[in-house]
Amino acid sequence: MTYFFQLVLSGIVVGSIYALSALGFVLIYKSSRVLNIAHGQLIATGAFITYALTVWLGIPIYISFFISLLITFFLTMSVERIFLRRLIGEPIISVIMVTIGLMSILDGLIYLTPFGSENFSFPLFLPKEPISMAGVSMSWTQLVGVIITFALIGAFSWFFKKSTIGISMRAVSDDQLASMSIGISVPRVFGLAWATAGLSAAAAGGIIGNTTGLNFDTLHAFGITVFPVVILGGLDSILGAVVAGIIMGLIQQFAGGYLDGNWGLNGTGVVLPYIILLIILLFKPHGLFGIHEIERV
Amino acid sequence: MQDCCRFDKDRKQTGKLPLVFWGNTTTKKGGNMKKHKMMFFRILMSFVVVLSFATSIQAGEVYKLALSLAITGPTSDAGNPYAKGVEDYFRFVNDTKLLGEDKIECTIRDDQYNNDVTKRNFEDFLGQGIVLYLNYSTGSTMGLKRDFEEEKIPVIPASFHAGNLIDSNYIFLPIASYSEQIIGLAEYVAKNHKGDKAKVALFIHPSAFGRGPVEDLTKAVKAGLNIEVVEVVEHGQDLDNTAMLKRLKSKGVQYVLCQTVQSPVATMLKDANSIGYAAKSFGEADKITFMGAHYTGGNDLIALAGVAAENFFWTTSYRLTSEKSAGADAQLALAKKYGRDDKAANSHNYTNGIMVAQVATEVIKRVKENGQKVTRSSLYDELNQMNGAKAFEADTTVGPVTYSKTDHAGVDVLQLYRVDGSVFRSVGVPFSSEYIKKIK
């Protein structure tokens, strides 16, 4: 039974990190209907900024983590202002193509820094010994990661449900023209959506970087790894990202724990999330919590 | 002599045509002034020709080599220092005139780990007239194997995949293959494990690069190697390996042999530490000892895994700068001479790059000493004779580089290292795999 509970715990830990990584996709899609292909690069950028502040400038990691969130917030806001704002009103595919270009630019810029081709790890700032209870254990890094993830997800949920700006963002997501007619600044909302997505990506980067070490390939690959989570949860649902993230985390752990290595199976933890995604999408094409839009003509 | 003849021929040609041309001009109106000008011009031109001949004699030959690799993109953490090693050593050869007045011109291009780009680069290099090619990845080496055969060009890749040598005559691995490294580690386990037959799992990259040693290790076990391979795990982009580690533990696995790159190994080591599975010494009871082949280890692993890398066992044929040796001193001096930072200077992939450049330089030197012209063919023949008394002692490796018609794996000796205090330290003396010979 310990084995089972360990897998559940690990699944929740991994799933919550997936959820936080997926949040950036959701925030942008929710307000602008755009899929940001450069999300993995934003995750990596956040992690590298935290590292640079911590190690190169000697700022305590607790502070540098929050500074990196702020830097990435303003960085992505600027990216939206410079590259994407002029595309408001253009076909969505054009905007997605620009995010592909953005991905290449960020790749190129990161390759100009030591982070592009060197490996780093955050200095140890939490106890090295794991937390163990009844034979089930997790590291302090994982625990802190889960706490930060749920705190941020809670904050974003409140923000979208209760705050004026959050409600404006949801309104823009529903109908841009109607939102403008009641005085909401659509460009400002888009800017904020990108900024908050950048912030969540930086948080995810910091947590993943602490878990795996800082390797650019590993970090930016998460932009793709969490894609099934985003689709499964429904592209525009924060709750969906959380639930789907944890489902995916649990599937991976159970597949790894019970299927792999038996009956000649291997790598099911990688494949199974996609198979389950396909099956769920057959019955719920908009994902578990995605909004099903009905258009009348 | 050949060059001299070529010059004579050229001189006759350059002498002949202009004389006819100039002869015609003198018959035109314009008289002596123009004739004097022409005479001056002819003298000047002759002077230029003689001067350029003299310069070319003094400049010597230029041997063109090329390297295509991932300086950016996936695996650039290995490719970047590797490229610096190759570049610095060839600069050193030219600056210190190791080949006399002759020079090596090695074009290094980034292919971002993209096989299409590697192929394009290689075709371009052929057009430039290269005599030896340094390749990088397993995928591109396998993909270009037929091209190497057709072009009859000797190739030294950074991939140590044993499959590179199958149906190939022109590929020369710098050191022992991944198969030999993994079997060597398994032999070490068999010899030093206390208790019943050691239970081993393989943790591999999901590619030809990772899968290469699996079949060879299975053959070695069939040939009598006293271990049990319980499971082969192909990893993905895993954030957490707890499930896998729990599963392996439940099957009684005591050793995990890794054939992949550093990042997934680092994540696994961190997870093993967080659930208390990592052995603190070799073969510690009820724990798992982690070991790996060349590209799993080095300072990059320590950089990624931090303290979780402690007690990781690693094998390679290269000497490390963490231990005093003539090769390590020379490597650090080279890095200093060309302004490399500490990270590059101490990277085992910088050593890797230096070593292949050393082999290339040595074989060119030997061909020259034989009085032969440096061509693809002469370099190929000379590489095949690099054995016995003609084995090449590169200070950067723990054993001599040997090649023959039937053996295209360079250094056949491996050294086991272990992370101790965040530094890789030697364990025992260099060894070679017994079973790799038995399964050939």
Side-chain angles (χ1 to χ4, degrees):
Chain A
M1 211 55 188
T2 316
Y3 187 72
F4 173 81
F5 285 119
Q6 179 67 61
L7 297 185
V8 171
L9 183 67
S10 299
I12 292 169
V13 168
V14 173
S16 60
I17 298 172
Y18 283 164
L20 183 60
S21 306
L23 208 58
F25 276 114
V26 174
L27 292 172
I28 291 175
Y29 189 84
K30 202 173 170 62
S31 62
S32 61
R33 303 278 151 188
V34 169
L35 263 183
N36 174 23
I37 307 295
H39 190 63
Q41 279 66 18
L42 294 180
I43 290 174
T45 305
F48 296 149
I49 291 172
T50 310
Y51 179 87
L53 293 170
T54 309
V55 177
W56 296 348
L57 298 183
I59 299 170
I61 193 163
Y62 309 100
I63 300 167
S64 63
F65 179 72
F66 286 104
I67 297 175
S68 84
L69 299 191
L70 279 177
I71 292 174
T72 323
F73 180 90
F74 288 110
L75 188 78
T76 41
M77 190 182 256
S78 313
V79 164
E80 191 278 336
R81 185 72 187 84
I82 296 164
F83 298 106
L84 298 151
R85 186 154 302 179
R86 62 194 72 222
L87 289 170
I88 289 177
E90 298 295 326
I92 294 296
I93 189 68
S94 305
V95 188
I96 293 173
M97 292 307 288
V98 169
T99 68
I100 293 173
L102 187 63
M103 180 181 76
S104 297
I105 291 169
L106 287 174
D107 270 348
L109 288 175
I110 291 170
Y111 282 129
L112 289 175
T113 72
F115 296 114
S117 56
E118 290 179 25
N119 297 310
F120 302 89
S121 66
F122 284 105
L124 207 61
F125 65 102
L126 291 166
K128 196 180 143 192
E129 295 306 317
I131 309 156
S132 296
M133 197 180 286
V136 177
S137 48
M138 74 190 296
S139 68
W140 280 92
T141 311
Q142 289 174 326
L143 178 68
V144 170
V146 171
I147 291 168
I148 292 173
T149 298
F150 281 105
L152 277 171
I153 287 168
F156 280 123
S157 296
W158 177 87
F159 175 75
F160 276 105
K161 280 185 183 153
K162 304 286 179 187
S163 75
T164 314
I165 304 168
I167 293 166
S168 306
M169 287 169 88
R170 282 166 56 201
V172 170
S173 162
D174 279 345
D175 192 325
Q176 289 181 19
L177 276 175
S179 305
M180 279 194 282
S181 70
I182 57 163
I184 295 171
S185 167
V186 173
R188 188 164 157 256
V189 164
F190 283 177
L192 266 175
W194 273 82
T196 45
L199 186 145
S200 73
I207 293 165
I208 296 168
N210 263 296
T211 310
T212 64
L214 296 168
N215 176 279
F216 182 46
D217 297 332
T218 309
L219 287 169
H220 78 70
F222 267 89
I224 302 300
T225 308
V226 296
F227 215 72
V229 173
V230 182
I231 305 287
L232 179 63
L235 277 160
D236 52 3
S237 168
I238 292 178
L239 178 66
V242 177
V243 173
I246 290 172
I247 288 175
M248 287 299 184
L250 288 170
I251 289 170
Q252 280 193 349
Q253 291 297 315
F254 282 124
Y258 290 115
L259 297 179
D260 282 351
N262 297 310
W263 311 292
L265 294 171
N266 208 334
T268 55
V270 180
V271 179
L272 212 58
Y274 289 95
I275 295 173
I276 289 176
L277 173 72
L278 281 173
I279 293 168
I280 290 177
L281 289 182
L282 279 176
F283 299 101
K284 288 187 77 69
H286 294 272
L288 292 174
F289 296 90
I291 294 168
H292 186 190
E293 288 177 354
I294 300 166
E295 288 185 23
R296 291 188 174 84
V297 286
Chain B
M1 191 61 198
Q2 281 176 330
D3 287 340
C4 178
C5 293
R6 195 166 64 221
F7 170 74
D8 284 340
K9 195 180 162 194
D10 291 345
R11 193 173 54 176
K12 277 174 195 164
Q13 284 175 347
T14 50
K16 194 178 176 184
L17 289 172
L19 278 174
V20 174
F21 175 67
W22 291 335
N24 287 342
T25 56
T26 53
T27 58
K28 287 181 184 173
K29 198 179 173 182
N32 286 337
M33 192 62 183
K34 201 164 191 176
K35 199 174 175 181
H36 280 124
K37 273 187 181 172
M38 278 298 165
M39 182 62 76
F40 174 74
F41 187 64
R42 285 171 68 180
I43 292 166
L44 187 71
M45 286 306 291
S46 309
F47 183 71
V48 168
V49 168
V50 169
L51 192 70
S52 62
F53 170 68
T55 312
S56 69
I57 289 287
Q58 199 176 12
E61 291 274 327
V62 174
Y63 309 117
K64 290 191 174 179
L65 274 61
L67 163 64
S68 177
L69 82 171
I71 299 174
T72 61
T75 76
S76 58
D77 49 355
N80 200 298
Y82 186 92
K84 286 171 181 164
V86 171
E87 184 188 344
D88 289 355
Y89 191 76
F90 285 140
R91 277 174 76 185
F92 172 76
V93 168
N94 294 338
D95 291 350
T96 57
K97 297 186 187 298
L98 270 184
L99 294 174
E101 294 302 329
D102 295 356
K103 287 196 184 301
I104 290 175
E105 188 182 293
C106 184
T107 309
I108 300 175
R109 271 196 207 157
D110 184 12
D111 58 26
Q112 297 194 310
Y113 206 63
N114 184 335
N115 292 348
D116 295 342
V117 181
T118 312
K119 185 167 171 62
R120 246 192 342 263
N121 284 345
F122 176 64
E123 283 166 359
D124 194 28
F125 295 146
L126 288 176
Q128 291 173 18
I130 57 168
V131 289
L132 193 145
Y133 176 57
L134 308 174
N135 201 45
Y136 182 67
S137 69
T138 299
S140 62
T141 307
M142 298 287 277
L144 288 170
K145 203 190 277 185
R146 190 171 288 179
D147 299 60
F148 301 151
E149 291 294 309
E150 283 173 6
E151 291 295 333
K152 299 187 190 313
I153 185 164
V155 177
I156 309 176
S159 158
F160 316 139
H161 178 45
N164 290 339
L165 303 180
I166 297 169
D167 298 327
S168 162
N169 294 300
Y170 290 89
I171 298 171
F172 294 83
L173 307 186
I175 64 168
S177 67
Y178 302 130
S179 295
E180 194 164 349
Q181 292 174 31
I182 290 293
I183 293 172
L185 288 174
E187 285 175 20
Y188 184 85
V189 169
K191 276 179 197 160
N192 294 282
H193 173 71
K194 291 181 179 68
D196 298 336
K197 190 184 272 190
K199 290 191 171 186
V200 172
L202 286 174
F203 181 72
I204 61 167
H205 194 272
S207 66
F209 155 73
R211 291 174 193 133
V214 178
E215 197 183 329
D216 287 332
L217 182 62
T218 311
K219 281 183 194 166
V221 172
K222 278 182 186 160
L225 178 57
N226 192 31
I227 60 156
E228 182 191 345
V229 179
V230 176
E231 196 180 320
V232 178
V233 181
E234 289 195 9
H235 65 75
Q237 289 278 358
D238 301 318
L239 254 186
D240 188 285
N241 292 286
T242 306
M244 180 203 72
L245 290 165
K246 285 264 174 189
R247 185 181 75 237
L248 296 182
K249 192 79 171 51
S250 70
K251 291 180 175 180
V253 168
Q254 297 145 307
Y255 303 90
V256 173
L257 309 185
C258 310
Q259 166 49 15
T260 177
V261 291
Q262 294 102 339
S263 184
V265 176
T267 308
M268 179 173 63
L269 293 177
K270 284 182 167 189
D271 293 335
N273 272 271
S274 80
I275 55 174
Y277 279 7
K280 289 190 169 56
S281 60
F282 179 84
E284 187 187 350
D286 209 30
K287 303 278 179 186
I288 299 175
T289 303
F290 295 92
M291 309 173 92
H294 178 89
Y295 284 108
T296 63
N299 291 340
D300 281 311
L301 179 75
I302 297 168
L304 281 168
V307 289
E310 287 296 305
N311 202 46
F312 179 77
F313 286 80
W314 175 55
T315 194
T316 181
S317 299
Y318 293 105
R319 290 188 189 281
L320 304 183
T321 53
S322 53
E323 304 209 311
K324 188 85 180 152
S325 72
D329 290 346
Q331 176 178 329
L332 292 172
L334 186 78
K336 193 177 173 190
K337 182 178 170 73
Y338 295 111
R340 300 301 183 190
D341 59 25
D342 278 354
K343 204 152 191 173
N346 291 292
S347 164
H348 66 289
N349 287 313
Y350 184 67
T351 323
N352 199 347
I354 292 171
M355 183 264 188
V356 293
Q358 279 182 302
V359 173
T361 307
E362 180 65 21
V363 75
I364 289 171
K365 196 172 141 202
R366 287 182 184 187
V367 167
K368 273 180 49 144
E369 282 168 359
N370 293 345
Q372 292 174 284
K373 191 167 171 56
V374 175
T375 62
R376 295 175 190 180
S377 167
S378 61
L379 291 178
Y380 173 71
D381 291 341
E382 195 58 44
L383 272 167
N384 279 326
Q385 289 167 37
M386 199 177 259
N387 54 62
K390 292 181 84 178
F392 173 49
E393 297 286 346
D395 289 340
T396 43
T397 55
V398 292
V401 184
T402 58
Y403 295 117
S404 69
K405 276 273 184 197
T406 54
D407 172 25
H408 276 201
V411 183
D412 302 319
V413 183
L414 293 161
Q415 174 66 53
L416 189 67
Y417 296 97
R418 170 178 172 259
V419 182
D420 182 10
S422 293
V423 174
F424 274 101
R425 301 277 179 214
S426 293
V427 178
V429 292
F431 65 99
S432 58
S433 165
E434 290 170 26
Y435 278 87
I436 198 77
K437 294 170 196 106
K438 288 183 185 175
I439 63 165
K440 267 183 182 172

